[in-house]
């Protein structure tokens, strides 16, 4: 089973990605897609450091509620520490066993989490169970095989990308998610994409901030020599210095509804 290592150093690297300009913009895009209303009750599955949950709380207001669940005790601790609203709560739980009541939420959202869940059918079944009839949901996931990252050493780039695939349970989840959602009982409303493109080096760019995360993960797996990983990262910085940096990825967004 592929699992993310959420010890403190890894959590620090992950938070740096979440705070970058690209992911902040992605969060705003997600909020627009959700079109939350005051007094709605929202469940954030895989709430991570809690940034999306806090933003959703501003939209549903004190007459609504936001509950974030995450498998990581470290992420829950950080979310609770920064929580600014008494109508936002958090709990540690598995995405396939949410420990919340049936039909208790108007909205379910999960961004960049579903691909880390080994049993995606159970994940979707739980989302269906907790949504009220007529409730809606949004899942955002990446097909990690479609990342484009310019390099002068394509063999090394491929080795790094192949080694990184194991950081999630299903690196190509968007290709098969629609039928799983339908099997769970959902109606699919729309499927769209959110692109991230970087052509320069900035610590806030998604690709730049993810490099330490990628290197840190692969080093824990001992799947590539550290020197090779360091050379990979150094080449990307050099490409940026030379004005030849390029990175692109698409996050796929699945919007769905539980029939009334």
């Amino acid at each position: 089973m592929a699992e993310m290592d959420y010890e403190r150093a890894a959590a620090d690297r992950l938070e740096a990605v979440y705070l970058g300009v690209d992911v902040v913009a992605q969060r705003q895009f997600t909020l627009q897609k959700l079109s939350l209303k005051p007094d709605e009750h929202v469940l954030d599955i895989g709430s991570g450091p809690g940034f999306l949950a806090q933003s959703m709380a501003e939209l549903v207001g004190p007459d609504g509620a936001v509950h974030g669940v995450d498998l990581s005790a470290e992420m829950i601790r950080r979310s609770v520490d920064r929580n600014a609203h008494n109508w936002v709560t958090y709990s540690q739980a598995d995405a396939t066993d949410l420990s919340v009541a049936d039909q208790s939420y108007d909205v379910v959202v999960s961004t960049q989490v579903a691909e880390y869940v080994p049993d995606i059918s159970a994940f979707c079944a739980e989302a269906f169970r907790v949504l009220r009839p007529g409730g809606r949901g949004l899942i955002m996931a990446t097909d990690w095989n479609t990342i484009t990252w310019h390099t002068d050493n394509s063999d090394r780039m491929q080795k790094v990308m192949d080694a990184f695939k194991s950081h999630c349970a299903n690196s190509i989840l968007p290709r098969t998610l629609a039928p799983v959602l339908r099997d769970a009982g959902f109606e699919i409303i729309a499927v769209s994409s959110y692109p991230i493109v970087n052509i320069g080096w900035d610590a806030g760019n998604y690709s730049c901030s993810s490099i330490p995360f990628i290197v840190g993960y692969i080093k824990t797996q001992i799947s590539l020599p550290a020197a090779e990983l360091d050379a990979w990262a150094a080449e990307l910085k050099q490409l940026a210095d030379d004005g030849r940096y390029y990175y692109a990825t698409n996050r796929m967004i699945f919007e769905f509804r539980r029939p009334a």
Side-chain angles (χ1 to χ4, degrees):
M1 181 175 92
E3 294 180 316
M4 297 297 290
D5 181 6
Y6 283 121
E7 50 84 31
R8 289 194 175 189
D12 286 342
R13 290 191 292 266
L14 186 62
E15 280 204 5
V17 175
Y18 275 69
L19 289 169
V21 61
D22 287 324
V23 178
V24 169
Q26 173 189 291
R27 199 150 51 240
Q28 291 303 311
F29 180 82
T30 302
L31 292 171
Q32 292 172 11
K33 283 282 186 181
L34 289 170
S35 299
L36 296 174
K37 303 175 183 64
D39 81 8
E40 286 192 310
H41 287 220
V42 186
L43 180 66
D44 186 355
I45 303 176
S47 51
F51 299 132
L52 178 61
Q54 293 297 309
S55 296
M56 293 191 295
E58 299 288 344
L59 296 174
V60 302
D63 292 330
V66 177
H67 184 62
V69 298
D70 202 277
L71 189 60
S72 164
E74 176 65 17
M75 285 293 143
I76 294 297
R77 182 189 68 79
R78 293 178 183 225
S79 299
V80 170
D81 286 349
R82 66 168 50 95
N83 188 7
H85 306 293
N86 60 15
W87 60 94
V88 181
T89 55
Y90 297 96
S91 64
Q92 186 178 4
D94 190 292
T96 62
D97 185 11
L98 295 170
S99 300
V100 299
D102 293 356
Q103 300 183 17
S104 51
Y105 290 94
D106 303 297
V107 180
V108 165
V109 59
S110 187
T111 61
Q112 297 300 122
V113 171
E115 59 259 54
Y116 298 98
V117 180
D119 190 345
I120 191 62
S121 294
F123 175 99
C124 293
E126 273 291 85
F128 185 88
R129 179 184 69 79
V130 303
L131 265 180
R132 293 168 180 157
R136 66 194 188 281
L138 181 152
I139 291 175
M140 177 184 287
T142 297
D143 183 336
W144 295 93
N145 282 17
T146 62
I147 289 175
T148 303
W149 217 331
H150 178 59
T151 178
D152 289 331
N153 190 328
S154 57
D155 289 342
R156 183 175 61 205
M157 177 65 76
Q158 190 61 53
K159 284 194 288 185
V160 171
M161 293 294 96
D162 286 345
F164 189 57
K165 285 178 187 176
S166 65
H167 85 288
C168 58
N170 186 346
S171 63
I172 57 171
L173 175 65
R175 305 183 194 190
T176 57
L177 183 56
V180 180
L181 285 167
R182 293 191 193 101
D183 287 346
F186 288 117
E187 298 173 349
I188 296 177
I189 301 170
V191 180
S192 56
S193 65
Y194 182 81
I196 294 177
V197 180
N198 299 150
I199 59 170
W201 190 273
D202 187 304
N205 285 354
Y206 175 75
S207 60
C208 297
S209 62
S210 67
I211 290 170
F213 186 75
I214 294 170
V215 170
Y217 171 78
I218 296 175
K219 283 184 176 179
T220 66
Q221 306 306 301
I222 321 178
S223 53
L224 282 177
E228 190 163 15
L229 282 168
D230 293 340
W232 170 77
E235 187 218 2
L236 294 174
K237 180 62 170 66
Q238 187 60 56
L239 286 170
D241 291 344
D242 295 342
R244 299 193 295 127
Y245 187 84
Y246 177 86
Y247 171 94
T249 187
N250 270 302
R251 271 77 189 279
M252 304 308 298
I253 300 117
F254 291 76
E255 298 173 74
F256 49 91
R257 179 190 298 114
R258 174 170 175 162

